[in-house]
Amino acid sequence: MAVVSQKKRKIRLGNAEARPHFVEGSIVRIFIENFLTYDSCEVYPGPNLNMIIGANGTGKSSIVCAICLGLGGKPSFIGRADKVGLFVKQGCLKGLVEIELCKTPDNIIITREIQVVNNTSAWFINKKPTTLKTVEEQVAALNIQMDNLCQFLPQDRVGEFAKLSKVELLEATEKSIGPPEMYRFHCELKNFREKERELENLCRDKTNSLEKMRQRIERYKQDVERYHERKHHLDLIEMLERKRPWVEYENVRQQHEKVKQSRDQAKEEVQNLKEMRSPLSKKIQETEENLKSLDIKIRDKAGEIKDISQKCKQKQDALEIKDKQIEEINQALRMKKDEEMDRQRKIHNTRKMIEDWKNELNAMAVCENLQPQIDAVNNKLKELQEEKANIDSDISDLTAEKMNQEKEKKRINDNLEQLNNVMNMKEEHLKGRFKDTHTALVWLRKNKDKFKKKVCEPMMLEISMKDNRHAKYVENHISSSDMSAFVFESQEDMEAFLVEMRDHRKLRVNAVCAPHESCAESLPSRPIEELHKYGFFSYLRELFDAPRPVMSYLCSQYHVHDVPVGTEKTRRLTERIIQETKLRQMYTAEEKYVVKVSAYTNLTLSTNTSLKVAQFLNSSVDTEERRQLEKQQQDIINASQALDVRLTALSERKKHLECRDNQLRQQKKELLERGSRRRQLESKIAVKYDSLRQLEQDAINLEKEFQQANVKIKEINIQKVRLVTELMHLIKNCISLNILKVDLALQSATVAAEKNRLELEYKAASVQLKAAEQRFNELDDRKRILTKNCKELLKKAEYICKLTPDQHLPKEFQTAFQALPSTLEEIDAFLNEEKTRASCFTGLNASVVEEYNRETQEAQQLTEYLEEKKNELDNYKQNISQVKEKWLNPLKKLIEQINVKFSSFFSSMQCVGEVDLHVENEEEYDKYGIRIRVKFHRSTELHELTAYHQSGGERSVSTMLYLMALQEFNKCPFRVVDEINQGMDPMNERRVFEMVVKTACKESTSQYFFITPKLLQNLTYNDKMTVLFVYNGPFMLEASQWDLKAFCRRRRRLGRMDEQ
């Protein structure tokens, strides 16, 4: 095998003539030995476009593998074998790849020896051993990226380019054509953003922790304050408890001094009172004797006064009785006056009422004869009643008729429901067996208006067996696919239905079209009567009913009109039937027979198969019966609606008659009332006249009654004068006796007052003496008790303050005691208040202070740490802002330039393509990506380039044009594209090829390797292209014997010989 270049060059290290034509880092020479299909091969590519052409399997892609592995690439970059040892030619233990790269001032030669045994590689640079890391550094320094599909696209990874995510495509583009710092800035941005996110999360968590810690500190602070406050209260309580016994002692001591002085005074007072009380006893005895004589005289005068007072009382009672008699006479007279005034008022009212009724009676006309009017109204009422009775009768008849119709409608609905249940069972069977067909059936029922002609549902639903026992014949005769097929009368309707179902809804359904000329009425080849002798009883067509299009299709396709069905007798006569009738198909009781005549031997061959059990048609619906029931149902509905109209009209007429009846009855009532009013008035006037006469007869003589009353009052007044005279005489006697009694009473009162005064003085002196003695005794007892208490309280106070009996109270206690209350009440109140306050501070101890101090210190440390992290976060944000500006603006400009080239390439192909920067979130730098959108047809919209939306050829064109757009920027030294034109149509392949030639053959562009197994004819070429042909076969020359110039000379010589 050999590879020969069109213009063979031997480029050596330091060759000054060749160097200017190559971009630094481009491939000058490739040498491989024992590599894949090659024994030994040396390739000299050109500085611009290199077309590597050869048939499939000759080894074109092996050169691509050599480039990848020779420059430090991994086998996974190629997409073939996973171990480097598998690239050594079969049967060899070692392989060699040597690549010479253009570099200033001297080229660099990288050699890789591959060992099969342990799958290892030895590396050399300029024939000197080195390491893989050094090779990778040298390659990276020349901006060669074997893992970048934008630079190196081998055959087995062409499809992966379209599968690149937008993010991966952006990174590959940055590495390929961007400035060296662009990808670094992008990575820094992603790292900075990750760090920023981590710091934000850390700051958020630490802030939350600090907030919670501050809340705990705040709670602890309150507890600490409460702890100190409680301690203050406890100290105050302790000092109050120390002062209290001293105050008690001082109070008791002062009481003791006061009680001692009071006891001495009480002793002196007792002595003085005893001396003052003795003269009062004698004076009291003298006064008591004088008082007794005066009391006797007073009782005598009181008895006389009592007798005279009793007599006066009797006279006064008699006078009161006389006054009551006079009042009764006057009351009777007033009642007579009131009775007479009431009688006069009634007479006036009665006369007024009689006068009003007379006026009304005079105003009323002479009673006319109202009977004719009343009779006329009665006649009208009678006519109305007769008409209402007729209407009620009609309504009753119509209601009964409607009830009968409702019963009949219910019976028909029940029958239809039974038939529908059978249809539902058949539909459920269809749904279970042919789910897509059932889905299409539901759609068809909703969209029948979209079709021009009749569309029948699947045959298994449309066919109705006349006898379910014969279903097996029909099902065995018609295929399962046709049983589930829709039947159309129009071919256009069927095609539209199938496009909707199969293309748009992805449903697997069957459809057939009935013949244009109906075959439903086709006649059999012979009457069935001729076949009765063989046991045949019917043709298949007569065993079932079906719509006309379905029957037409079955007659045309399955000849159901000419396939007889027989009995067991038919099976016994099979051979005879075949010979005599020449039938091609027939059915016996349990078998199907098919008869064929051989086209070669002209022999008659028959096959019989057992009939399968019916699955679809064993539940049939009598379509004729169903149509009859539906027609009856519609007739009943129409009749019911007509009855409703008649009933509504009769009800309205009945309401009108009832309204008229009420009007006539009101008119009759008014006529009757007009006839009876005059008689009522005359009767009332007569009654009132009788009442008036009676009232006039009952008159009272008030003057006579007044005179009689005055006579009675005068007699009573004379009696009253006599009683008053006697009463005055008794009163005078009573007054004189009362004057004497009063004098005696005054004397007695004077004596009694003196006695009382003396007794009070004696009693007061005795009380004072007793009180003084008791007070003295009490004070004496209290003095002894206080003396004892003083001693005990002094000991208690000294004990509480921890003092000895001869030790004075310290000054610090005296100073503290001065700031505290000075009375026991105030001390007790203050002490209770402090104890209450202290008791409110429960659950507190010294540990809360320690916890507070520890939390405060930790919060301070966390605050400092958080401040440090926030500063670090601000630095990262500042770095992100700076790096983003350095990265994003050049990136946008670069992508815009790529878009201009890419769009231009697509426009030249009468297509549309766009490249833009896809950003979901400006802060998520790891989600930035390049989006490629293309449109190859005018009727479509721009779609994103994916591995699924575009065809293989469209993806290849898009990939190639994107790589060509990158080629314009020349940041990488070479690009390799392997067989990307596979799958392109000739037009696109020609256009792409012309773009590749035009772009890759420009001055100062990077080197380009384009591998393809074929090329179109009459393509446009450029002088800067290098075409490398790869041949393979048993008659190939050795590589050392390949001389292209000799071949060219020989070809020219043969050409001249042909001309001669």
Side-chain angles (χ1 to χ4, degrees):
M1 178 182 292
V3 177
V4 182
S5 65
Q6 186 180 13
K7 296 179 180 178
K8 189 171 181 180
R9 301 180 183 89
K10 292 188 178 180
I11 302 173
R12 305 182 186 280
L13 292 174
N15 190 339
E17 294 181 0
R19 190 177 300 116
H21 300 287
F22 288 87
V23 175
E24 185 165 319
S26 58
I27 300 173
V28 177
R29 180 177 60 87
I30 305 170
F31 175 74
I32 51 179
E33 185 178 31
N34 296 330
F35 188 82
L36 290 175
T37 58
Y38 292 97
D39 294 327
S40 176
C41 179
E42 191 169 21
V43 180
Y44 292 89
N48 297 103
L49 176 60
N50 291 276
M51 301 291 297
I52 302 177
I53 305 172
N56 290 329
T58 55
K60 303 183 301 300
S61 297
S62 299
I63 299 174
V64 176
C65 296
I67 294 172
C68 178
L69 298 179
L71 294 177
K74 300 177 182 179
S76 59
F77 296 167
I78 305 171
R80 290 193 173 187
D82 57 348
K83 294 180 181 180
V84 71
L86 298 176
F87 288 88
V88 177
K89 186 174 182 181
Q90 191 172 4
C92 300
L93 298 177
K94 182 176 70 173
L96 178 73
V97 176
E98 185 175 279
I99 297 178
E100 182 178 348
L101 301 175
C102 180
K103 187 177 181 183
T104 305
D106 297 320
N107 291 352
I108 180 174
I109 299 174
I110 300 174
T111 306
R112 182 175 188 173
E113 289 185 0
I114 304 171
Q115 303 291 336
V116 177
V117 178
N118 51 7
N119 197 45
T120 59
S121 297
W123 293 91
F124 302 89
I125 294 180
N126 295 332
K127 306 301 181 180
K128 296 179 181 180
T130 186
T131 62
L132 174 60
K133 185 176 181 181
T134 305
V135 172
E136 290 175 344
E137 291 174 352
Q138 290 282 348
V139 170
L142 295 171
N143 199 26
I144 298 173
Q145 305 162 13
M146 289 294 99
D147 58 342
N148 191 340
L149 293 182
C150 290
Q151 181 175 348
F152 184 78
L153 189 61
Q155 177 182 354
D156 296 314
R157 297 188 68 191
V158 169
E160 293 184 20
F161 185 87
K163 297 180 182 178
L164 284 178
S165 67
K166 294 185 278 291
V167 176
E168 292 170 339
L169 184 58
L170 173 61
E171 292 179 354
T173 303
E174 287 176 330
K175 293 176 185 179
S176 178
I177 65 171
E181 66 275 6
M182 180 177 285
Y183 181 68
R184 177 168 56 82
F185 285 157
H186 191 184
C187 294
E188 287 179 1
L189 277 175
K190 290 190 285 187
N191 294 332
F192 285 161
R193 176 55 184 161
E194 185 64 28
K195 288 288 186 181
E196 180 188 24
R197 192 181 293 110
E198 292 175 0
L199 286 172
E200 286 176 348
N201 293 334
L202 177 63
C203 290
R204 185 167 54 253
D205 295 341
K206 293 300 181 183
T207 302
N208 293 336
S209 301
L210 181 60
E211 183 62 27
K212 292 178 182 177
M213 191 175 292
R214 285 175 176 168
Q215 292 174 2
R216 288 198 302 272
I217 290 172
E218 190 62 30
R219 291 196 297 270
Y220 286 146
K221 183 178 180 181
Q222 295 174 1
D223 292 342
V224 168
E225 290 175 355
R226 292 174 67 238
Y227 173 79
H228 288 305
E229 189 175 352
R230 179 174 177 272
K231 190 172 184 305
H232 170 71
H233 291 311
L234 293 176
D235 294 341
L236 196 56
I237 289 169
E238 183 181 0
M239 193 57 67
L240 286 168
E241 289 177 345
R242 285 179 176 177
K243 182 177 180 180
R244 191 178 190 285
W246 287 102
V247 174
E248 287 180 339
Y249 166 72
E250 183 63 24
N251 290 342
V252 173
R253 189 188 66 76
Q254 292 176 1
Q255 291 177 13
H256 177 270
E257 294 296 327
K258 291 179 181 179
V259 169
K260 183 179 178 182
Q261 293 177 3
S262 298
R263 186 186 70 97
D264 295 340
Q265 292 175 0
K267 185 177 180 181
E268 184 179 357
E269 185 181 358
V270 168
Q271 187 66 31
N272 293 333
L273 289 172
K274 285 181 179 180
E275 293 175 356
M276 290 173 59
R277 192 180 64 169
S278 56
L280 293 175
S281 299
K282 187 177 180 180
K283 290 182 180 180
I284 290 172
Q285 290 177 356
E286 294 175 357
T287 307
E288 285 180 351
E289 291 176 359
N290 190 13
L291 187 61
K292 285 181 181 179
S293 62
L294 289 173
D295 287 339
I296 292 170
K297 293 179 181 179
I298 290 172
R299 280 197 298 272
D300 293 343
K301 293 297 180 185
E304 294 177 5
I305 293 171
K306 183 178 180 182
D307 293 338
I308 293 174
S309 296
Q310 186 69 32
K311 292 178 181 179
C312 288
K313 180 70 170 60
Q314 292 174 357
K315 297 300 180 182
Q316 289 177 350
D317 292 342
L319 285 172
E320 290 178 359
I321 292 171
K322 296 303 179 181
D323 289 337
K324 287 182 180 180
Q325 290 176 354
I326 292 172
E327 180 63 28
E328 289 175 357
I329 292 170
N330 289 330
Q331 181 68 26
L333 182 61
R334 285 194 298 272
M335 291 177 65
K336 291 294 183 179
K337 287 182 181 180
D338 293 340
E339 184 178 352
E340 178 61 18
M341 289 176 66
D342 184 58
R343 186 184 68 82
Q344 291 294 336
R345 186 169 56 256
K346 288 181 179 179
I347 290 172
H348 175 74
N349 291 337
T350 303
R351 286 174 178 171
K352 180 75 169 55
M353 192 177 296
I354 290 171
E355 186 178 357
D356 292 340
W357 285 346
K358 282 183 177 180
N359 292 335
E360 183 180 356
L361 191 62
N362 293 332
M364 186 178 296
V366 179
C367 183
E368 69 272 16
N369 187 9
L370 300 176
Q371 190 61 38
Q373 298 180 31
I374 295 172
D375 293 340
V377 172
N378 287 335
N379 292 332
K380 291 180 180 179
L381 286 172
K382 185 176 180 181
E383 292 174 358
L384 284 176
Q385 293 296 331
E386 291 176 354
E387 187 174 357
K388 282 172 62 179
N390 294 332
I391 290 174
D392 289 338
S393 176
D394 292 343
I395 290 174
S396 178
D397 294 341
L398 292 175
T399 304
E401 185 177 353
K402 185 173 182 180
M403 290 178 63
N404 293 332
Q405 288 183 352
E406 289 295 331
K407 292 179 182 179
E408 182 64 18
K409 181 180 178 181
K410 185 176 183 303
R411 182 188 67 79
I412 292 171
N413 288 338
D414 292 341
N415 293 337
L416 283 173
E417 185 175 357
Q418 292 177 0
L419 296 177
N420 289 333
N421 288 337
V422 175
M423 288 299 295
N424 291 336
M425 289 173 59
K426 294 177 72 174
E427 286 187 22
E428 287 298 323
H429 198 171
L430 175 68
K431 183 177 180 181
R433 185 73 179 273
F434 306 102
K435 186 176 181 180
D436 287 358
T437 303
H438 184 268
T439 304
L441 174 64
V442 174
W443 181 89
L444 175 65
R445 289 175 175 174
K446 295 178 181 178
N447 299 275
K448 282 193 174 182
D449 56 333
K450 295 184 178 181
F451 301 101
K452 298 178 180 178
K453 293 187 177 181
K454 182 177 180 181
V455 181
C456 295
E457 295 180 356
M459 293 186 193
M460 59 184 294
L461 299 181
E462 296 286 7
I463 294 175
S464 178
M465 298 302 303
K466 296 179 179 179
D467 188 339
N468 291 338
R469 294 176 299 173
H470 300 151
K472 59 184 178 179
Y473 302 121
V474 179
E475 285 195 25
N476 280 272
H477 192 69
I478 302 172
S479 67
S480 176
S481 60
D482 278 353
M483 287 293 286
S484 63
F486 295 85
V487 182
F488 292 80
E489 287 187 330
S490 168
Q491 183 71 23
E492 183 180 352
D493 286 346
M494 184 180 75
E495 290 175 356
F497 175 78
L498 291 177
V499 167
E500 176 67 26
M501 294 298 109
R502 294 179 178 175
D503 296 347
H504 296 170
R505 299 183 180 271
K506 307 302 180 184
L507 299 177
R508 299 176 61 185
V509 298
N510 297 325
V512 296
C513 185
H516 291 294
E517 296 182 3
S518 177
C519 302
E521 307 297 335
S522 299
L523 298 176
S525 57
R526 59 178 63 84
I528 191 64
E529 289 78 11
E530 295 182 7
L531 301 177
H532 283 171
K533 61 183 178 180
Y534 302 114
F536 294 108
F537 61 87
S538 176
Y539 286 108
L540 274 178
R541 183 176 61 183
E542 277 67 39
L543 299 180
F544 63 91
D545 292 326
R548 189 175 185 84
V550 176
M551 188 64 79
S552 176
Y553 175 79
L554 293 178
C555 290
S556 172
Q557 190 69 23
Y558 291 95
H559 306 286
V560 294
H561 64 287
D562 204 25
V563 177
V565 180
T567 59
E568 189 64 26
K569 175 182 177 182
T570 308
R571 187 183 64 80
R572 294 194 299 269
L573 301 175
T574 301
E575 294 181 359
R576 178 183 168 191
I577 293 170
I578 294 172
Q579 293 176 358
E580 295 179 358
T581 61
K582 307 300 182 183
L583 290 172
R584 294 292 176 260
Q585 292 185 73
M586 61 182 177
Y587 287 89
T588 65
E590 298 296 335
E591 292 178 334
K592 174 183 178 181
Y593 284 84
V594 178
V595 181
K596 296 181 179 179
V597 178
S598 174
Y600 303 100
T601 62
N602 204 28
L603 295 176
T604 301
L605 304 175
S606 65
T607 57
N608 62 311
T609 55
S610 298
L611 298 180
K612 298 178 182 178
V613 178
Q615 298 179 0
F616 308 123
L617 303 178
N618 47 9
S619 298
S620 297
V621 177
D622 190 339
T623 53
E624 182 62 28
E625 180 186 358
R626 183 172 181 173
R627 282 193 293 271
Q628 290 295 331
L629 288 173
E630 290 175 348
K631 184 176 182 303
Q632 292 176 14
Q633 184 185 41
Q634 188 60 42
D635 293 343
I636 289 175
I637 291 173
N638 295 336
S640 179
Q641 292 175 350
L643 287 176
D644 289 338
V645 172
R646 292 179 62 191
L647 282 171
T648 303
L650 289 173
S651 298
E652 293 296 328
R653 179 59 181 167
K654 184 178 178 180
K655 289 181 183 178
H656 175 72
L657 293 177
E658 288 176 349
C659 181
R660 179 61 179 160
D661 183 84
N662 292 333
Q663 293 175 355
L664 292 173
R665 290 182 184 278
Q666 183 64 29
Q667 184 179 354
K668 180 180 177 182
K669 182 180 177 181
E670 291 175 356
L671 291 173
L672 292 174
E673 288 178 352
R674 285 170 60 188
S676 62
R677 179 61 178 168
R678 185 179 184 86
R679 291 191 297 273
Q680 290 177 357
L681 289 176
E682 291 173 350
S683 176
K684 287 181 179 180
I685 291 171
V687 172
K688 287 298 178 182
Y689 269 125
D690 294 340
S691 298
L692 182 62
R693 284 192 294 271
Q694 185 63 38
L695 289 172
E696 291 174 348
Q697 292 174 1
D698 293 339
I700 298 173
N701 190 348
L702 291 179
E703 186 177 355
K704 181 180 179 181
E705 293 292 335
F706 184 72
Q707 291 175 357
Q708 292 176 356
N710 286 336
V711 172
K712 291 179 181 179
I713 292 172
K714 187 175 181 180
E715 292 177 355
I716 294 171
N717 285 332
I718 293 171
Q719 295 175 6
K720 284 178 66 179
V721 170
R722 188 173 60 251
L723 289 173
V724 170
T725 303
E726 293 174 354
L727 179 61
M728 293 300 295
H729 179 71
L730 291 173
I731 289 172
K732 289 178 180 178
N733 292 336
C734 185
I735 290 172
S736 62
L737 289 173
N738 277 315
I739 292 172
L740 293 174
K741 180 183 175 184
V742 169
D743 291 339
L744 291 172
L746 289 173
Q747 294 176 15
S748 177
T750 303
V751 175
E754 182 64 18
K755 178 189 175 187
N756 289 335
R757 184 183 67 77
L758 292 172
E759 287 178 345
L760 287 173
E761 289 180 359
Y762 182 82
K763 186 176 180 181
S766 299
V767 170
Q768 288 179 0
L769 177 60
K770 186 177 180 181
E773 290 175 346
Q774 184 178 358
R775 185 164 176 268
F776 172 76
N777 294 331
E778 290 176 353
L779 290 171
D780 190 51
D781 294 338
R782 190 175 179 191
K783 176 179 173 295
R784 288 194 299 272
I785 293 169
L786 289 173
T787 302
K788 181 180 178 181
N789 289 342
C790 281
K791 293 179 180 179
E792 292 177 353
L793 289 172
L794 180 60
K795 290 180 180 180
K796 180 180 179 182
E798 290 174 345
Y799 174 77
I800 291 175
C801 294
K802 299 178 181 180
L803 301 175
T804 58
D806 56 350
Q807 186 179 2
H808 294 289
L809 189 66
K811 289 185 178 180
E812 60 268 19
F813 283 1
Q814 294 178 10
T815 304
F817 287 170
Q818 288 177 359
L820 298 176
S822 57
T823 64
L824 280 176
E825 291 78 6
E826 292 175 348
I827 289 174
D828 288 339
F830 198 10
L831 188 61
N832 290 332
E833 182 179 351
E834 292 300 317
K835 285 182 177 179
T836 302
R837 289 179 178 176
S839 65
C840 294
F841 301 95
T842 57
L844 298 175
N845 50 46
S847 64
V848 71
V849 179
E850 297 176 1
E851 186 67 21
Y852 172 76
N853 294 333
R854 185 181 62 79
E855 288 282 349
T856 303
Q857 185 178 2
E858 290 180 0
Q860 182 62 29
Q861 294 173 355
L862 184 57
T863 302
E864 294 173 358
Y865 176 76
L866 183 59
E867 189 65 28
E868 178 185 348
K869 291 301 178 183
K870 285 183 177 179
N871 292 334
E872 187 178 349
L873 178 59
D874 292 338
N875 292 335
Y876 269 109
K877 288 183 177 179
Q878 187 175 1
N879 292 338
I880 288 175
S881 178
Q882 295 173 356
V883 175
K884 181 179 180 181
E885 186 177 357
K886 295 177 183 179
W887 170 74
L888 189 57
N889 292 335
L891 177 62
K892 288 181 177 178
K893 184 176 180 182
L894 179 63
I895 294 176
E896 181 60 31
Q897 292 172 350
I898 295 173
N899 180 49
V900 171
K901 294 295 181 182
F902 188 75
S903 300
S904 174
F905 291 153
F906 262 84
S907 298
S908 65
M909 296 176 61
Q910 286 77 45
C911 300
V912 180
E914 290 183 0
V915 176
D916 61 4
L917 182 63
H918 181 75
V919 181
E920 294 180 359
N921 184 348
E922 289 190 359
E923 302 299 326
E924 301 297 332
Y925 303 107
D926 55 345
K927 295 183 180 178
Y928 275 66
I930 288 180
R931 178 174 60 178
I932 299 176
R933 296 191 299 165
V934 295
K935 182 174 78 169
F936 287 90
H937 307 286
R938 292 183 179 178
S939 60
T940 60
E941 298 293 331
L942 279 171
H943 289 289
E944 187 174 340
L945 180 65
T946 64
Y948 312 102
H949 195 278
Q950 289 81 15
S951 65
E954 291 173 343
R955 291 199 300 271
S956 298
V957 171
S958 302
T959 303
M960 195 67 190
L961 294 184
Y962 185 76
L963 294 177
M964 294 308 302
L966 300 185
Q967 180 74 12
E968 293 284 326
F969 299 97
N970 195 24
K971 294 299 181 181
C972 58
F974 66 85
R975 284 189 172 81
V976 178
V977 179
D978 190 358
E979 295 191 17
I980 198 170
N981 59 336
Q982 298 302 305
M984 294 186 190
D985 59 79
M987 183 180 295
N988 286 336
E989 184 176 354
R990 184 177 298 278
R991 289 173 177 174
V992 169
F993 182 83
E994 290 175 356
M995 291 180 193
V996 170
V997 172
K998 182 180 178 181
T999 304
C1001 292
K1002 289 182 179 179
E1003 292 293 335
S1004 302
T1005 58
S1006 59
Q1007 192 177 34
Y1008 207 99
F1009 290 90
F1010 188 89
I1011 294 88
T1012 178
K1014 62 179 180 61
L1015 285 175
L1016 299 174
Q1017 295 181 358
N1018 301 322
L1019 292 175
T1020 301
Y1021 296 94
N1022 192 289
D1023 292 338
K1024 295 182 180 180
M1025 289 175 56
T1026 300
V1027 181
L1028 303 174
F1029 296 93
V1030 182
Y1031 297 98
N1032 190 6
F1035 304 107
M1036 284 297 298
L1037 296 173
E1038 293 293 333
S1040 59
Q1041 299 176 5
W1042 186 272
D1043 189 347
L1044 182 60
K1045 291 182 179 179
F1047 296 155
C1048 291
R1049 288 195 300 268
R1050 182 182 177 188
R1051 183 70 188 90
R1052 285 194 293 270
R1053 186 171 60 252
L1054 292 174
R1056 287 193 297 269
M1057 292 174 63
D1058 293 339
E1059 291 175 359
Q1060 294 175 359

